[in-house]
Amino acid sequence: MAESTAVVEGLCFRYGSGPPVLDGIEFAASPGEVVGLLGRNGSGKTTLLRLLAGLIQATAGQLATSHLPTVVFDRTPFQESLSGRENLLLGLALRGRGELAEDVPRWLAAIDLSDDADRPVAEYSLGMRRRLAMVEALSCGPQLTLLDEPTLGLDPQGRHVLGELLRASASDGGTILIATNDAVFAERECSRIVILGSGQILADGPSSDLIAALNAPTIIEVELDHDPPSTTPPAGLTVISTTLESLVVTGASASSQLPELCAWLSEAGGSVRAIKIREPGLDDVFHRLTGTRLRSEDGEMR
């Protein structure tokens, strides 16, 4: 295995006298990995990035990085009076990578900024600024890159471009750590998922392995016009979550048991408003571990 790019051992952090945000976590990230740090707001994922970037000091434990990290948080500073093209060229010059200047037009085209390349960054929208920040961070070859909520402000095209940049950087030997609560993007683009909650690492592995461990081949989401039944569901079905007027059910043959499911629900009175059948995803893993759900790709909480 390649030497780790980032190593965390027994890492603890708390703000003042408050409860620990991170409480003895341990993990290592290697070249070629895109690691998604998945968790709700306040789970410690951004704090972990700030610790790795050297912006704050740990309360206890150790961490080490083999490269000076490139960091993209929610607001990336640019030279506002310079154009997007000029900002990229300046960044390359400051990093001693001027030989990559000939690639700048290709990068700008990849993030759909060719037509706006010579406009001052001060005139860019949030999404345009985010795309520019990502390409600046991920375009300088093998390194350690820390991205905080990179999908915020990005439209579907921006998400697609970000995914391509992540894969290209990882294939060149880069290591990328992404703090996010976007389960859909993380499942699609991250080679490894670290789920954080209550200051701990709750799960760590490829999303496919984490989802397979659910042993839930089919997920059925049901919207009701009444509270979910309190009685036991039909044999072969398991209720994995409930809210007011909705529930989520799984089972090895859940799809073929829809008539039984509907009959059971009707016994509670009222009627079924909608039924959605889907495959399980990373958000279901998160819910199984924490009892809460993350936001979907469109930004809504589920």
Side-chain angles (χ1 to χ4, degrees), residues 84-108 135-141 143:
R85 187 192 311 275
E86 290 168 334
N87 269 277
L88 288 180
L89 291 171
L90 177 61
L92 291 175
L94 291 175
R95 296 176 186 173
R97 301 301 303 273
E99 75 278 5
L100 297 177
E102 63 184 22
D103 292 325
V104 167
R106 178 171 57 84
W107 297 340
L108 289 166
V135 77
E136 184 176 49
L138 294 167
S139 60
C140 287
Q143 59 182 339

Side-chain angles (χ1 to χ4, degrees), residues 117-253:
D118 297 311
R119 287 174 54 195
V121 169
E123 299 177 4
Y124 280 17
S125 67
L126 174 60
M128 294 165 69
R129 296 173 70 95
R130 297 285 288 182
R131 298 202 302 274
L132 187 65
M134 297 305 163
V135 77
E136 184 176 49
L138 294 167
S139 60
C140 287
Q143 59 182 339
L144 174 61
T145 306
L146 311 177
L147 306 179
D148 187 33
E149 297 291 356
T151 60
L152 286 180
L154 294 185
D155 58 16
Q157 171 64 16
R159 290 170 181 269
H160 176 73
V161 169
L162 174 58
E164 290 184 338
L165 291 171
L166 293 174
R167 290 189 292 273
S169 180
S171 67
D172 286 341
T175 305
I176 305 100
L177 271 64
I178 300 174
T180 185
N181 57 11
D182 189 333
V184 175
F185 183 84
E187 181 179 335
R188 185 173 63 231
E189 303 295 352
C190 296
S191 58
R192 176 181 164 200
I193 301 295
V194 175
I195 296 179
L196 294 169
S198 302
Q200 303 285 330
I201 292 179
L202 305 179
D204 183 352
S207 58
S208 57
D209 290 354
L210 299 182
I211 293 169
L214 284 174
N215 194 27
T218 303
I219 299 289
I220 300 178
E221 298 177 349
V222 184
E223 292 183 17
L224 306 167
D225 65 358
H226 56 86
D227 291 339
S230 57
T231 56
T232 303
L237 297 177
T238 301
V239 176
I240 59 176
S241 69
T242 61
T243 62
L244 291 176
E245 300 186 350
S246 72
L247 75 163
V248 180
V249 179
T250 188
S253 303

Side-chain angles (χ1 to χ4, degrees), residues 72-94:
V72 179
F73 286 109
D74 56 350
R75 293 288 180 180
T76 300
F78 290 107
Q79 295 295 321
E80 298 290 322
S81 62
L82 298 183
S83 68
R85 187 192 311 275
E86 290 168 334
N87 269 277
L88 288 180
L89 291 171
L90 177 61
L92 291 175
L94 291 175

